[in-house]
Amino acid sequence: MKEIPMTVKRSIELLGLFLVGALLVLGSNIIMPLIMAFFISIVLLPPYRFFRKKRFPNVLAILLPILIMLTVVAAIGWFFSAQAARLIADFPQIQKNVSLHLNSLSRWIDQISHFSPTEQIKFVNEQSAKLLNYAAALLGGAAGSVSSAFIFMGLLPIYVFLMLNYKNLLLRFIFMWFPAEQHDKVEEVLSESESIIKSYLIGLLIQVTYMTVFLGGILLLFGIKHALLIGVLFALLNLIPYIGALIGNILGVLLTLSSSQSLTPVLIVLCTIAFVQFLDNNILMPRIVGSKVRINALGAIVGVLVGGAIAGISGMFLSLPVIAVIKIIFDRSEMFKPWGVLLGDENPNESPMRKRMLRSKSDLVREKLEAENDIETTDKSEEVQERKDP
């Protein structure tokens, strides 16, 4: 049989990736709840297995972890509502502080430029009118967005329940999709994907907890108003890689400015966030999540932006675990292995232009680069045993 030319293979690859992207864009309202439910069901597998070992009925063993998850979500919602009530109660003082800061800014602009206060007010009014028009356009689809969000949240527990209930059926379907000689590789991909998803998402839950307590606690010690709200907002926004931390910093500064007439609290907030982020990025998070699969910064940022364009905030949040699973699949597929290299962080110390060995798809080369970049490998026997149901 005549071998397919390389150009045709590459064209098929690109066409396949384009079709997958188009499918995600067109069917994001259906696909995103399924992906989110899949990741949540992976996280709930350990408590589900624990209840099954204790001889709980299958339905009860599924419902109990889901109820625990809903309780945690309800507690977070209650905390936000309590903090929002405090913020609303301080609104007159916030309005006064904002006016003070705007007047100071106006005087500073007047000193360094030719814009008089009258021209500044005119400029602000023009921009405000544009902003209001833009906001009106956004609010036009707000009802649809809110209803979509409620449908999304309502479907999640149902999807999680059904995925845990039919997990053996889904696994059978996956294995039947591939020939028998590839089943070992499929089992390896499933085991490693489960390990990565669990370590990443459970690590994020731990991260949100300690960042809220740590950041909020330090700001409370300094007497910053709305310290806990700043802490939890930054911790939740930090779940969105790269972009979330920037938005969290901006919101923290705005909340502090609106609650204080001095700039000193703003400096305290910025320095505290920088300190907590340094500890989180360099000490705490690597130990919690580990480094079994690392995505390079370029791939992560592009993935976050693409995820946001496809499915908004949920797409940005899910981008890294999805890319990690895709990389695991690509690394074990001969056709898509170059794409796995493109997403990964196995950065060679030498140029492939000079060292020909680095041009190879060999697993030995990949393992060597993983060792050079301090990327852990998965203990396959343990993962396979852990995945087996009681």
Side-chain angles (χ1 to χ4, degrees):
M1 186 175 179
K2 192 175 180 181
E3 188 177 353
I4 301 174
M6 185 61 67
T7 52
V8 176
K9 287 183 180 180
R10 294 292 173 256
S11 299
I12 293 172
E13 286 178 27
L14 292 172
L15 179 61
L17 292 172
F18 172 78
L19 290 175
V20 169
L23 181 65
L24 287 172
V25 172
L26 295 173
S28 60
N29 291 333
I30 298 172
I31 296 170
M32 292 312 295
L34 285 171
I35 296 176
M36 180 74 84
F38 169 72
F39 285 150
I40 293 173
S41 64
I42 293 293
V43 173
L44 296 183
L45 271 177
Y48 165 77
R49 287 170 179 157
F50 171 79
F51 289 126
R52 288 295 288 156
K53 284 179 182 177
K54 298 297 180 183
R55 311 244 178 221
F56 279 65
N58 189 57
V59 173
L60 190 58
I62 296 172
L63 285 176
L64 285 174
I66 293 175
L67 288 174
I68 293 170
M69 177 191 71
L70 292 176
T71 304
V72 172
V73 172
I76 294 172
W78 170 83
F79 175 81
F80 265 115
S81 63
Q83 294 297 314
R86 289 185 59 191
L87 198 64
I88 292 169
D90 291 341
F91 186 75
Q93 184 62 39
I94 289 171
Q95 195 173 21
K96 183 180 175 182
N97 292 334
V98 169
S99 298
L100 181 68
H101 291 305
L102 287 176
N103 289 334
S104 299
L105 180 62
S106 176
R107 286 194 298 270
W108 178 72
I109 292 174
D110 189 30
Q111 290 173 1
I112 65 168
S113 70
H114 61 278
F115 286 102
S116 66
T118 306
E119 290 174 319
Q120 292 175 37
I121 292 171
K122 182 182 176 183
F123 175 78
V124 169
N125 289 335
E126 289 175 355
Q127 298 306 313
S128 298
K130 291 179 182 177
L131 184 62
L132 286 172
N133 290 333
Y134 178 68
L138 287 178
L139 289 172
S145 300
V146 170
S147 62
S148 298
F150 276 114
I151 292 171
F152 185 99
M153 298 306 295
L155 285 174
L156 269 182
I158 298 170
Y159 282 154
V160 171
F161 177 87
L162 293 175
M163 283 186 178
L164 287 173
N165 189 49
Y166 292 114
K167 66 184 185 312
N168 293 332
L169 177 68
L170 296 172
L171 286 171
R172 185 165 183 262
F173 165 76
I174 292 170
F175 279 109
M176 289 177 67
W177 189 264
F178 297 92
E181 58 270 16
Q182 294 184 10
H183 284 183
D184 288 341
K185 191 171 285 189
V186 173
E187 191 170 356
E188 182 184 331
V189 169
L190 291 173
S191 301
E192 195 167 346
S193 298
E194 181 183 331
S195 172
I196 292 301
I197 293 168
K198 279 196 299 188
S199 64
Y200 181 76
L201 294 182
I202 292 174
L204 289 185
L205 292 176
I206 297 171
Q207 183 192 37
V208 167
T209 304
Y210 73 67
M211 285 197 79
T212 301
V213 173
F214 199 26
L215 180 56
I218 294 175
L219 294 179
L220 272 176
L221 290 176
F222 280 107
I224 303 297
K225 242 186 170 184
H226 309 298
L228 289 178
L229 181 59
I230 293 172
V232 75
L233 275 176
F234 183 82
L236 291 174
L237 286 168
N238 198 49
L239 297 179
I240 301 172
Y242 301 101
I243 297 169
L246 176 62
I247 299 172
N249 272 282
I250 294 171
L251 287 179
V253 168
L254 291 177
L255 278 171
T256 309
L257 270 175
S258 63
S259 305
S260 171
Q261 297 183 3
S262 170
L263 291 178
T264 304
V266 175
L267 295 176
I268 292 173
V269 169
L270 286 175
C271 291
T272 306
I273 288 176
F275 172 68
V276 172
Q277 265 194 299
F278 175 80
L279 289 180
D280 175 62
N281 294 336
N282 296 284
I283 299 173
L284 298 173
M285 203 58 182
R287 293 177 183 274
I288 294 170
V289 176
S291 57
K292 291 177 182 176
V293 168
R294 289 207 303 235
I295 309 300
N296 64 66
L298 177 62
I301 292 172
V302 172
V304 168
L305 295 175
V306 170
I310 291 173
I313 293 175
S314 60
M316 297 173 84
F317 168 68
L318 292 173
S319 59
L320 280 193
V322 167
I323 292 172
V325 172
I326 289 172
K327 177 175 165 26
I328 292 169
I329 296 170
F330 283 176
D331 283 342
R332 283 151 185 81
S333 168
E334 197 62 32
M335 177 183 288
F336 293 104
K337 193 169 284 188
W339 295 97
V341 171
L342 180 65
L343 293 173
D345 202 24
E346 302 93 0
N347 192 24
N349 293 326
E350 300 179 62
S351 170
M353 295 289 288
R354 296 185 178 180
K355 198 164 186 177
R356 289 181 173 272
M357 182 185 73
L358 296 173
R359 306 177 190 181
S360 169
K361 296 182 182 180
S362 168
D363 289 336
L364 292 174
V365 176
R366 179 173 61 85
E367 290 168 8
K368 181 177 180 296
L369 291 173
E370 284 178 350
E372 285 179 5
N373 289 273
D374 194 27
I375 298 175
E376 298 173 8
T377 54
T378 310
D379 189 338
K380 294 167 192 168
S381 61
E382 279 187 18
E383 295 297 333
V384 171
Q385 186 64 34
E386 188 181 337
R387 285 185 62 255
K388 289 183 179 177
D389 292 325

